[in-house]
């Protein structure tokens, strides 16, 4: 739970995709006739993103199609269809990054929701355990879960053609216009407690079975400012080169990974411009050259080659290449470790970067390694290194949990030496202490002690632009919110003080569990946007659920509260539950029958839901609770836990 237990993640720092190309089609009639013009269409980028989870290296899914639901009624509008064969998208790689699926021509209008069709046959969902999962995880690191041990919930259809239909209702309408840029970003929340649930039924002979539930953990993210979007490196084959731009056909890597890795050709095309003002860096991996160009007139040899592109969006929505890696072999552009940093060895100057196989790729940092922080809102910052050499590691400017994409001097060399490290997200988190109006301390708590850090972080300047509120008005300065209540974002002159007060809670279960403080997660930016141009400063903080051991109900639910006792604890803690509309605790009932589990959401804002939770949370019920400690009313008391999510079980407690 060290990284991203975010329900909605960090608003404007989150990811999506967008395009500026706008297309319209019209109609006409012959002389003397009155025919109505055909509805105008607009181009819309379709992307997927993810709020990540620590325990998985690969959560591969096959999205077959995405359709929009018109707000005024009528037939759904298909905006994306997968190529054949449908590629896997590894959701674990999309930690606050946008995977561009392609551009769609969509009728202008208002849309109230989307429907995703996801392949649900055995083998259509891939699960690979991270190399270093959390303590107590039931499978060893790097394990590939067998298809027979994955149960995809709510599958429909006949054998060989099973699918899951996922309906996503938008909080606000998606208005597609021919006069503005448009984007649809759908996020899979891997950290959602009801997304992937493990259990070990007697009939499985000791094996852990995994229920995958897509209904609930998928949602739409809005796009407040396209210039601040961080896009994942995109793969493709160059289909055309002009002086000003490249045309590429989208490619997807094969999963499970092959050796050498090959590509699945998509059907979507993208136009990507050269950076005429700041220059685009082009790496020819076959020739071993590096050039900086302000147009592609000298790069006609790129035609037909495989490319990997780090891109950003201009204010007008055009897609611009910051860096390009090219080769005649897909394996060379793909063989560049991308994932979360698993370990940082400051003695030997080596970082370990997670890959899709559940392993780690060791990468040597030398005196020439350049570190970049993806800053798409500033073309200059996006293309300028923030550090060089091994001192960047020694200063804890790169720590476990950062999401990076490494480019090697020679991708086939052993050991691999980093030419540059793109820091895509700088995520700090852990126990919160020393919180004040000037900053606070994050202390991580990893199983491997050498990965832990204790870092003092200041807040960004009050004048730095930091996303938008729900009314579309710009936010400046530090902001924070609760994991489950993203609509109550706190920002402005009192934000630092209110955060310091909210982060001071502690609960105490006694025993070996003892006292548990508040936890948080933050995204950092390089420089505070004011007088400090170096170092990490936090844009935001999210109070996330403090990790709790599995527990049981020791005093039954009544008056929106119950007492919780956890394994290895000696005293109960009261759990407060909210049933208020808009800020209600999320509740899930887990049933198991004949080795199959069913995940059912309980809406406790309704009388039926309150009746269900009252019946379900009886004395002795196995339960897993996620919440934030509240300050104890007296030093001797255990404190209370404000519940974000409650998962209770009608039978034996699952393994996770």
């Amino acid at each position: 739970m060290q990284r991203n237990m975010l329900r909605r993640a960090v608003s404007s720092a989150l990811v999506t995709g967008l395009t500026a190309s706008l297309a319209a089609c019209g109609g006409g009639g012959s002389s003397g006739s009155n025919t109505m013009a055909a509805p105008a269409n607009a181009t819309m980028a379709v992307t997927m993103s993810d709020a990540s989870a620590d325990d998985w290296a690969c959560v591969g899914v096959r999205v077959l199609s995405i359709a929009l639901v018109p707000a005024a009624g009528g037939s759904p509008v298909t905006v994306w269809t997968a190529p054949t064969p449908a590629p896997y998208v590894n959701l674990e790689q999309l930690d606050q990054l946008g995977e561009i699926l392609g551009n769609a021509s969509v009728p202008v209008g208002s849309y109230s929701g989307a429907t995703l069709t996801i392949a649900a046959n055995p083998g259509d969902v891939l699960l690979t355990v991270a190399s270093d999962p959390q303590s107590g995880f039931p499978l060893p690191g790097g394990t590939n879960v067998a298809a027979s041990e994955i149960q995809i919930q709510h599958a429909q259809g006949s054998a060989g053609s099973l699918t899951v239909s996922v309906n996503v209702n938008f909080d606000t309408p998606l208005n597609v216009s021919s006069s503005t840029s448009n984007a649809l970003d759908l996020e899979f929340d891997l950290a959602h407690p009801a997304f992937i649930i493990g259990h070990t039924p007697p009939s499985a002979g000791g094996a852990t079975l995994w229920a995958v539930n897509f209904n609930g953990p998928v949602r739409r993210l809005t796009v407040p400012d396209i210039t601040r979007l961080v896009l994942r490196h995109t793969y493709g084959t160059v289909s055309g080169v002009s002086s000003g731009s490249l045309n590429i056909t989208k490619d997807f890597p094969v999963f499970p990974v092959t050796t050498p890795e090959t590509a699945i050709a998509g059907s979507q095309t993208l136009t990507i411009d050269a950076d005429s003002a700041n220059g685009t860096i082009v790496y020819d991996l076959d020739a071993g050259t590096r050039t900086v160009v302000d147009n592609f007139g000298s790069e006609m040899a790129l035609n037909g080659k495989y490319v990997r592109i780090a891109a950003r969006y201009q204010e007008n929505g055009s897609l611009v290449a910051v860096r390009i890696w090219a080769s005649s072999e897909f394996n060379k552009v793909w063989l560049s470790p991308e994932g979360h940093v698993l370990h940082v060895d400051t003695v030997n100057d080596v970082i370990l970067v997670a890959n899709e196989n559940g392993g780690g790729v060791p990468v040597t940092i030398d005196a020439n390694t350049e570190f970049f922080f993806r800053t798409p809102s500033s073309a200059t910052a996006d293309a300028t290194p923030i550090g060089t050499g091994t001192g960047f590691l020694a200063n804890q400017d790169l720590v476990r949990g950062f999401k990076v994409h490494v480019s090697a001097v020679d991708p086939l060399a052993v050991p691999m030496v980093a030419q540059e490290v793109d820091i895509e997200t700088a995520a700090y988190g852990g126990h919160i202490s020393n919180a004040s109006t000037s900053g606070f301390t994050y202390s991580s708590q990893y199983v491997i002690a050498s990965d832990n850090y204790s870092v003092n972080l200041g807040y960004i300047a009050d004048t730095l632009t930091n996303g938008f509120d729900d009314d579309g008005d710009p936010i400046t300065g530090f902001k924070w919110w609760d994991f489950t209540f993203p609509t109550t974002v706190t920002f402005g002159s009192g934000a630092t003080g209110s955060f310091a007060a909210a982060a001071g809670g502690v609960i105490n279960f006694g025993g070996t569990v003892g006292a548990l403080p508040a936890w948080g997660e933050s995204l950092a930016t390089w420089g505070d946007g004011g007088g400090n141009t170096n170092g990490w400063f936090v844009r935001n903080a999210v109070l996330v659920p403090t990790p709790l051991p599995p527990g049981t109900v020791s005093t039954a639910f009544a008056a929106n509260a119950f007492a919780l006792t956890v394994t290895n604890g000696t005293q109960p803690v009261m759990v407060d539950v909210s049933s208020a509309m808009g800020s209600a605790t999320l509740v899930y009932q887990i049933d198991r029958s004949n080795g199959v589990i069913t995940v059912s959401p309980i809406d406790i804002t309704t009388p039926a839901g309150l009746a269900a939770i009252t019946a379900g949370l009886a004395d002795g019920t196995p339960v897993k609770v996620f919440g934030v400690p509240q300050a104890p009313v007296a030093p001797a008391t255990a404190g209370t836990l404000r519940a974000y999510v409650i998962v209770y079980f009608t039978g034996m407690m699952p393994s996770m």
Side-chain angles (χ1 to χ4, degrees):
M1 199 175 292
Q2 174 64 43
R3 197 162 57 240
N4 289 312
M5 288 290 294
L6 309 183
R7 185 183 180 191
R8 181 177 162 188
V10 187
S11 60
S12 66
L14 276 185
V15 293
T16 180
L18 202 49
T19 181
S21 324
L22 297 175
C25 60
S30 60
S31 177
S33 65
N34 291 319
T35 58
M36 296 183 62
N41 279 24
T43 298
M44 182 179 71
V46 181
T47 68
M48 290 196 304
S49 56
D50 147 58
S52 191
D54 284 333
D55 295 324
W56 301 103
C58 177
V59 179
V61 301
R62 282 176 160 162
V63 179
L64 302 179
S65 65
I66 300 172
L68 290 175
V69 179
S75 301
V77 177
T78 300
V79 297
W80 188 77
T81 302
T84 303
Y88 290 98
V89 175
N90 181 7
L91 300 178
E92 184 60 38
Q93 291 285 24
L94 304 184
D95 179 9
Q96 304 183 49
L97 301 175
E99 172 77 58
I100 305 174
L101 296 180
N103 299 327
S105 182
V106 181
V108 168
S110 182
Y111 298 89
S112 61
T115 300
L116 288 77
T117 302
I118 300 174
N121 301 291
D124 281 338
V125 172
L126 304 177
L127 296 177
T128 302
V129 181
S131 64
D132 187 14
Q134 297 180 76
S135 178
F137 195 79
L139 297 178
T143 300
N144 293 313
V145 179
S148 60
E149 297 172 359
I150 300 174
Q151 300 171 336
I152 303 174
Q153 302 279 287
H154 312 298
Q156 296 180 333
S158 56
S161 301
L162 295 172
T163 61
V164 172
S165 182
V166 180
N167 297 316
V168 181
N169 295 318
F170 298 162
D171 292 335
T172 57
L174 171 63
N175 295 314
V176 177
S177 169
S178 59
S179 61
T180 61
S181 298
N182 307 282
L184 172 67
D185 181 28
L186 297 171
E187 181 190 65
F188 290 74
D189 186 359
L190 270 63
H192 195 290
F195 191 4
I196 303 174
I197 297 176
H199 64 121
T200 309
S203 60
T208 300
L209 304 183
W210 298 91
V212 179
N213 170 49
F214 291 106
N215 287 290
V218 184
R219 61 211 174 205
R220 171 201 170 209
L221 295 176
T222 56
V223 184
D225 184 356
I226 65 172
T227 68
R228 298 184 179 277
L229 305 177
V230 183
L231 301 177
R232 185 190 182 198
H233 291 191
T234 192
Y235 298 92
T237 301
V238 178
S239 57
V241 182
S242 66
S243 177
S245 62
L246 301 176
N247 290 327
I248 69 169
T249 301
K250 178 78 174 174
D251 288 331
F252 296 87
V254 171
F255 289 104
V257 174
T258 59
T259 303
E261 178 66 322
T262 55
I264 296 176
S267 56
Q268 299 289 336
T269 60
L270 295 172
T271 298
I272 302 177
D273 296 337
D275 190 335
S276 59
N278 303 281
T280 296
I281 303 174
V282 180
Y283 299 94
D284 186 326
L285 300 180
D286 296 331
T289 59
R290 175 189 186 274
T291 56
V292 181
V293 300
D294 57 13
N295 66 78
F296 294 128
S298 61
E299 302 297 326
M300 296 299 172
L302 290 175
N303 199 29
K305 286 193 173 184
Y306 294 107
V307 291
R308 172 168 56 91
I309 301 176
R312 59 178 173 79
Y313 281 103
Q314 301 276 60
E315 187 174 344
N316 65 3
S318 58
L319 195 60
V320 174
V322 180
R323 287 177 289 282
I324 298 174
W325 295 263
S327 174
S328 57
E329 301 174 41
F330 181 78
N331 188 60
K332 280 189 177 181
V333 297
W334 178 84
L335 196 59
S336 53
E338 177 188 13
H340 292 97
V341 176
L342 300 175
H343 304 293
V344 177
D345 181 351
T346 58
V347 175
N348 298 299
D349 297 320
V350 173
I351 63 173
L352 197 66
V353 180
N355 65 13
E356 295 90 342
N357 290 333
V361 178
V363 179
T364 297
I365 305 299
D366 68 9
N368 298 314
T369 302
E370 293 182 320
F371 296 86
F372 293 82
F373 178 54
R374 295 306 315 277
T375 315
S377 60
S378 170
T380 301
D382 207 24
T384 303
I386 61 173
T388 302
T390 58
F392 201 80
L393 304 185
N395 294 335
Q396 291 193 319
D397 287 326
L398 183 76
V399 299
R400 176 171 173 173
F402 278 31
K403 175 69 166 56
V404 302
H405 203 148
V406 176
S407 297
V409 174
D410 179 356
L412 302 179
V414 179
M416 182 180 290
V417 178
Q419 182 178 59
E420 67 176 54
V421 177
D422 266 8
I423 300 172
E424 296 170 322
T425 55
Y428 286 98
H431 291 156
I432 299 172
S433 61
N434 304 319
S436 69
T437 56
S438 59
F440 59 94
T441 300
Y442 270 136
S443 299
S444 63
Q445 194 175 48
Y446 292 110
V447 175
I448 299 176
S450 61
D451 289 327
N452 284 324
Y453 55 81
S454 184
V455 176
N456 300 316
L457 297 167
Y459 305 111
I460 58 173
D462 291 340
T463 55
L464 184 64
T465 301
N466 197 17
F468 297 81
D469 64 16
D470 286 345
D471 295 324
D473 297 322
I475 292 173
T476 59
F478 172 76
K479 62 186 177 184
W480 73 274
W481 62 87
D482 283 334
F483 163 68
T484 303
F485 311 127
T487 57
T488 55
V489 177
T490 300
F491 58 93
S493 60
T496 58
S498 62
F499 174 74
V506 177
I507 54 175
N508 194 339
F509 285 101
T512 58
V513 177
L516 300 175
W519 277 54
E521 303 284 347
S522 290
L523 290 184
T525 190
W526 190 258
D528 69 352
N532 297 297
T533 57
N534 292 315
W536 295 111
F537 293 83
V538 291
R539 283 185 171 274
N540 47 59
V542 185
L543 289 180
V544 300
T546 292
L548 301 182
T552 56
V553 176
S554 56
T555 301
F557 179 84
N560 280 3
F562 66 97
L564 170 69
T565 302
V566 300
T567 304
N568 298 322
T570 58
Q571 63 181 359
V573 167
M574 290 302 298
V575 178
D576 291 330
V577 180
S578 172
S579 59
M581 184 72 70
S583 61
T585 302
L586 302 177
V587 180
Y588 295 88
Q589 177 177 308
I590 311 297
D591 303 295
R592 188 173 76 181
S593 177
N594 298 321
V596 176
I597 66 174
T598 303
V599 181
S600 303
I602 306 296
D603 182 0
I604 62 173
T605 65
T606 66
L610 278 175
I613 191 175
T614 301
L617 294 182
D619 287 354
T621 299
V623 65
K624 183 73 173 175
V625 180
F626 305 80
V628 170
Q630 303 300 288
V633 295
T637 63
T640 61
L641 186 79
R642 179 159 50 91
Y644 282 170
V645 181
I646 298 171
V647 180
Y648 67 90
F649 308 90
T650 60
M652 184 184 300
M653 184 86 159
S655 55
M656 289 297 294

